């Protein structure tokens, strides 16, 4: 079994996978909005349609969560600590966080018939999806920082080591 010093990106991979799984479970199982007496609905129910209106853009949240799980899982499986996986994970989770943040701020300014903010109807699924994306972003940053550390430590190694033949 490889030790932690031999696999410096291990924690970043696990953190990104965990964030993706949290986001996936939030999308599939937790209530995304709560409308009081009209019920609570998961993101998958909202994407399919509730009361005659659907939000197909919510399917992008599912795709982002699955992509993060897949990329981080593949990098962990291949024991890869290269920057491209980290950068893609950071871009996907960062865009999701920015989009949801702007969406929340926009809806916070809107009022319903009772004078409540439209954003006040978000339930646990929305917040756990944000937490999952933040964890995935942190995992991508961790992976990238360890990839950069590994690259610079190889460059500064003295005396230079001959390449190993397989």
């Amino acid at each position: 079994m490889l030790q932690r010093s031999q696999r410096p990106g291990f924690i970043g991979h696990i953190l990104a996978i965990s964030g993706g799984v949290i986001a996936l479970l939030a999308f599939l199982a937790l209530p995304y909005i709560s409308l009081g007496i009209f019920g609570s609905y998961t993101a998958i129910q909202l994407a399919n349609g509730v009361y005659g209106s659907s939000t197909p853009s919510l399917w992008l949240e599912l795709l982002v969560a699955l992509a993060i799980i897949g990329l981080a899982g593949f990098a962990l499986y291949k024991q890869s600590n290269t920057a491209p996986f980290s950068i893609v994970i950071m871009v996907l989770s960062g865009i999701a966080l920015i989009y949801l943040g702007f969406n929340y701020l926009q809806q916070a300014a809107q009022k319903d018939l009772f004078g409540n903010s439209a954003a006040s109807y978000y339930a646990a699924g929305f917040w756990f999806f944000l937490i999952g994306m933040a964890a995935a972003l942190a995992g991508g940053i961790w992976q990238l920082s360890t990839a950069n550390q590994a690259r610079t430590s190889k460059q500064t190694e003295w005396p230079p080591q001959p390449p190993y033949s397989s």
Side-chain angles (χ1 to χ4, degrees):
M1 177 127 194
L2 296 174
Q3 295 180 1
R4 184 174 164 214
S5 62
Q6 294 171 314
R7 296 186 55 198
F10 178 75
I11 294 173
H13 296 307
I14 295 298
L15 190 56
I17 291 170
S18 299
V21 168
I22 289 169
L24 180 65
L25 291 176
F27 183 87
L28 295 175
L30 295 177
Y32 200 79
I33 62 168
S34 177
L35 301 175
I37 61 171
F38 297 109
S40 297
Y41 302 97
T42 63
I44 199 164
Q45 289 172 319
L46 293 172
N48 284 331
V50 175
Y51 298 123
S53 66
S54 67
T55 8
S57 62
L58 281 176
W59 289 113
L60 293 175
E61 290 184 11
L62 177 66
L63 292 177
V64 166
L66 291 173
I68 288 172
I69 293 169
L71 287 170
F74 182 75
L76 181 65
Y77 174 73
K78 289 293 186 179
Q79 299 178 3
S80 173
N81 198 26
T82 58
F85 288 116
S86 310
I87 291 171
V88 173
I89 289 170
M90 287 174 17
V91 166
L92 287 174
S93 57
I95 288 172
L97 284 170
I98 290 170
Y99 174 76
L100 290 174
F102 280 133
N103 192 25
Y104 179 82
L105 291 175
Q106 177 190 10
Q107 290 184 356
Q110 297 174 356
K111 303 292 180 190
D112 64 5
L113 296 174
F114 304 108
N116 296 327
S117 166
S120 67
Y121 296 108
Y122 283 124
F126 175 81
W127 298 110
F128 274 97
F129 189 87
L130 284 177
I131 291 169
M133 287 296 105
L137 179 62
I141 291 170
W142 191 298
Q143 288 176 15
L144 187 62
S145 68
T146 56
N148 288 339
Q149 288 173 358
R151 188 181 64 212
T152 56
S153 69
K154 286 181 183 178
Q155 292 173 350
T156 59
E157 189 176 282
W158 190 259
Q161 299 295 322
Y164 296 104
S165 61
S166 315

